[in-house]
Amino acid sequence: EPTSRLLKESFDQQKDINNFEHYISEFFYTSYKNISNDLLSGKGKKVANGKIEWGDLTSTIGYIHVHSMARFTSNELSRKQHIDTLDYHMEQIMKSFRDKKAILIDVSFNFGGYDAAGLTISSYFTDRPVPAYTAYKFQEGEFLKGSLFSVIPASQYTFTKPVYVMTTDISRSAAESFAIQMKSMPHVK
């Protein structure tokens, strides 16, 4: 991974932090702080157990940083309750963004979680069902019958104006499937 290699090179060139894992933690902490303080000018709102931060980039462009696709509550609840919590917060965000001209969704520092979380978020960006991808199980040297995953529109506040998704080589798992889901919509770049 290019980012991991660059972080290791940067770690080797400094003397302040002795532990590479601590250095990586500081990198992410600094990145999240830059999102809060610089991109959102300290006016962002953190919801869903701190896994989502959102706000205005400008008066016409909304920004949603999805830090994780899991653990949307602090309690040990069922996955469905976590997804229901995410859905509640997404509805509030999208209600607030309904007059925006564009939205930027940032999953560049997202290590994944539940595919259902990505499907929940992407449901707010279509007004009709959209086939996203087919997942195949590979077993004993062959692919078994695939399952089609479609994005089904949310019941309210769907946004079909321009949407931009930011991802990186360190976005993983459910963050990758989320990017695929969003890519299936013509207004998303």
Side-chain angles (χ1 to χ4, degrees):
E1 297 175 357
T3 301
S4 296
R5 276 181 274 153
L6 290 171
L7 277 172
K8 180 67 170 117
E9 289 172 15
S10 176
F11 171 74
D12 290 342
Q13 294 173 6
Q14 58 86 46
K15 303 281 185 229
D16 295 337
I17 301 175
N18 297 329
N19 180 287
F20 184 56
E21 294 299 319
H22 179 67
Y23 189 79
I24 291 172
S25 294
E26 287 297 312
F27 167 77
F28 283 106
Y29 173 75
T30 301
S31 297
Y32 297 142
K33 194 168 73 171
N34 289 341
I35 289 168
S36 298
N37 297 338
D38 297 338
L39 280 178
L40 296 175
S41 303
K43 297 178 183 173
K45 298 168 188 75
K46 292 183 181 181
V47 296
N49 197 29
K51 304 304 180 197
I52 296 176
E53 185 169 11
W54 65 282
D56 296 335
L57 286 180
T58 69
S59 62
T60 60
I61 301 172
Y63 175 85
I64 304 170
H65 175 241
V66 184
H67 170 72
S68 175
M69 296 285 183
R71 297 181 301 278
F72 298 108
T73 72
S74 58
N75 302 327
E76 294 297 319
L77 300 175
S78 70
R79 184 176 294 191
K80 181 179 181 334
Q81 290 168 308
H82 282 261
I83 297 300
D84 288 347
T85 299
L86 170 64
D87 189 44
Y88 168 80
H89 289 294
M90 281 303 301
E91 183 176 304
Q92 302 309 307
I93 294 167
M94 299 312 294
K95 180 179 178 183
S96 177
F97 283 173
R98 67 180 172 247
D99 294 327
K100 297 289 184 202
K101 291 184 179 177
I103 295 176
L104 173 64
I105 304 172
D106 186 350
V107 293
S108 58
F109 301 114
N110 187 312
F111 291 116
Y114 315 134
D115 284 344
L119 287 165
T120 299
I121 296 167
S122 62
S123 74
Y124 285 91
F125 297 96
T126 186
D127 56 4
R128 60 182 174 76
V130 177
Y133 58 89
T134 302
Y136 295 90
K137 184 176 182 180
F138 188 75
Q139 185 175 338
E140 298 178 11
E142 64 180 277
F143 287 100
L144 304 179
K145 183 179 179 186
S147 299
L148 176 65
F149 286 82
S150 294
V151 179
I152 306 302
S155 59
Q156 294 187 66
Y157 307 114
T158 57
F159 189 91
T160 58
K161 295 178 261 185
V163 177
Y164 301 88
V165 177
M166 283 183 21
T167 184
T168 66
D169 63 315
I170 56 177
S171 303
R172 295 194 177 107
S173 188
E176 294 170 297
S177 61
F178 170 73
I180 293 169
Q181 295 156 18
M182 294 298 287
K183 186 178 179 180
S184 67
M185 297 174 227
H187 63 287
V188 177
K189 302 271 185 247

